[in-house]
């Protein structure tokens, strides 16, 4: 079983899209056809859903460049009294991109981790494949599932899932959805470890600096620092949580799968906040650097007989 997993990371998702656009060009066919199971969290859910629908990755890259500034248009500088961003435009964009398809309509096995905020538990949106758990709600619209996984706390409001529960960003527990996929492959598809290969694409490894300074009280100002003179809050604590989630899951999957776990990521060498749209071109450049090193290995894994 060949599995494709895509991390969360806001605008840094451009890195994964650029990687997949080049791989798709080399394959000469939709990249999703090379995989049996696809998963994505937060911004990775956008990419994964697009892969499942056989959308061209080059077009998805154009969408990121075209719509990012509208999605990350601030309605509050800090987010004390309302979320930093409104999800109105993101909701309209997803509705347009994914249409009226419900999870039941998507035949490709697709997993989208989210959080059931109402009941305080992890939640996985699954499409219509044979041995998915019976409690899986296939009536949910694909765009709604994607939006629920993208609703980062403080920055976007929780997504109301048709009045059933409130949902927020799946990156809080599975920013790298590889372990979710490994569990799914073992239990729902009844695959053996040796038959599972995961290609896991990150969104860049940040250098998040919390250097120790004297006389600091370590309040909100240190965890969510303000940029001056704009008074724009930096999502430093949330970015750290997402980074730690991804890296810990990467470590465990590497131990479980050994050479059958291919992690595609790049050191960014600095902090690139998930909502900073000015770094889009930089993330494409990082993807190109990574591709020069990893492309042949990715293509070899994809092309190997199942």
């Amino acid at each position: 079983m060949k599995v494709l997993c895509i991390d969360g990371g806001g605008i840094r998702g451009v890195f994964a899209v650029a990687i997949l656009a080049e791989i798709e060009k080399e394959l000469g066919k939709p990249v999703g056809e090379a995989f049996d199971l696809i998963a994505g969290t937060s911004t990775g859910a956008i990419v994964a859903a697009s892969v499942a629908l056989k959308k061209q990755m080059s077009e998805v890259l154009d969408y990121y460049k075209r719509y990012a500034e509208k999605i990350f248009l601030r309605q509050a500088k800090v987010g004390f009294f309302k979320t930093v961003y409104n999800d109105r435009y993101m909701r309209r964009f997803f509705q347009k991109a994914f249409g009226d398809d419900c999870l039941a309509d998507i035949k490709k096995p697709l997993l989208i981790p989210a959080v059931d905020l109402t009941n305080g538990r992890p939640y996985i949106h699954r499409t219509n494949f044979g041995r998915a758990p019976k409690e899986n709600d296939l009536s949910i619209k694909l765009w709604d599932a994607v939006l629920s996984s993208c609703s980062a706390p403080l920055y976007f409001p929780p997504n109301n899932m048709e009045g059933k529960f409130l949902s927020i960003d799946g990156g809080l527990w599975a920013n790298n959805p590889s372990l979710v996929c490994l569990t799914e492959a073992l239990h729902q598809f009844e695959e053996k470890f040796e038959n599972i290969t995961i290609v896991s694409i990150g969104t860049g490894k940040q250098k998040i600096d919390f250097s120790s300074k004297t006389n600091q009280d370590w309040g909100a100002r240190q965890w969510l620092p303000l940029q001056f003179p704009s008074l724009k809050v930096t999502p430093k604590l949330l970015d750290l949580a997402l980074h730690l989630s991804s890296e810990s899951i990467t470590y465990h999957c590497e131990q479980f799968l050994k050479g059958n776990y291919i992690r595609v990521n790049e050191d960014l060498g600095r902090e690139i906040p998930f909502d900073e749209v000015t770094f889009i071109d930089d993330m494409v450049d990082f993807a190109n650097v990574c591709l020069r090193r990893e492309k042949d290995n990715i293509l070899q894994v994809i092309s190997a007989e199942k």
Side-chain angles (χ1 to χ4, degrees), residues 278-290:
T278 59
F279 285 105
I280 286 179
D281 290 337
D282 295 290
M283 294 308 302
V284 173
D285 291 340
F286 280 118
N288 290 331
V289 170
C290 186

Side-chain angles (χ1 to χ4, degrees), residues 2 11 17 33 46 55 69 76 80 84 87 103 113 132 154 159 163-164 185 197 222 260-261 271 287 302-303:
K2 294 180 183 178
I11 202 61
V17 181
E33 293 183 8
I46 304 172
K55 293 181 179 290
E69 288 188 1
F80 285 147
V84 175
D87 68 353
L103 295 178
L154 184 65
N159 186 31
K164 299 173 184 176
T197 300
Q222 282 73 42
N260 284 347
Y261 186 74
E271 293 179 26
I302 289 175
S303 302

Side-chain angles (χ1 to χ4, degrees), residues 64-74 277-278 280:
Y64 268 80
K65 292 179 178 179
R66 191 183 314 164
Y67 297 116
E69 288 188 1
K70 294 181 180 179
I71 290 174
F72 289 108
L73 181 64
R74 287 184 171 252
V277 299
T278 59
I280 286 179

Side-chain angles (χ1 to χ4, degrees), residues 5-138:
C5 296
I6 304 154
D7 281 23
I11 202 61
R12 296 192 303 273
V14 167
F15 175 86
V17 181
I19 294 280
L20 291 173
E22 182 61 28
I23 296 301
E24 193 167 73
K25 188 188 303 182
E26 293 284 341
L27 292 174
K29 63 180 181 180
V31 69
E33 293 183 8
F35 294 94
D36 305 300
L37 175 64
I38 301 164
T41 304
S42 197
T43 194
I46 304 172
V47 184
S50 300
V51 170
L53 293 178
K54 299 185 179 181
K55 293 181 179 290
Q56 289 188 0
M57 290 296 100
S58 58
E59 291 184 3
V60 176
L61 183 57
D62 288 339
Y63 290 154
Y64 268 80
K65 292 179 178 179
R66 191 183 314 164
Y67 297 116
E69 288 188 1
K70 294 181 180 179
I71 290 174
F72 289 108
L73 181 64
R74 287 184 171 252
Q75 65 171 358
K77 293 183 184 297
V78 180
F80 285 147
F81 302 106
K82 59 182 177 180
T83 56
V84 175
Y85 303 110
N86 191 301
D87 68 353
R88 188 181 304 112
Y89 192 86
M90 185 163 65
R91 181 183 298 269
R92 288 202 301 264
F93 169 58
F94 290 167
Q95 289 172 335
K96 181 178 179 180
F98 301 121
D100 291 327
D101 285 337
C102 296
L103 295 178
D105 301 320
I106 313 300
K107 302 308 178 186
K108 192 75 176 183
L110 171 66
L111 306 176
I112 298 176
V115 172
D116 176 350
L117 180 62
T118 301
N119 298 295
R121 62 186 179 92
Y123 189 91
I124 303 172
H125 297 285
R126 295 174 172 89
T127 54
N128 189 24
F129 54 89
R131 289 185 291 273
K134 293 180 179 179
E135 66 271 17
N136 198 45
D137 188 351
L138 293 173

Side-chain angles (χ1 to χ4, degrees), residues 12 123 131 138 158 192 215 219 230 248-249 252 261 272 297 303:
R12 296 192 303 273
Y123 189 91
R131 289 185 291 273
L138 293 173
K192 296 180 179 179
N215 300 322
S230 66
S248 63
I249 290 170
H252 287 100
Y261 186 74
I272 297 183
N297 186 34
S303 302

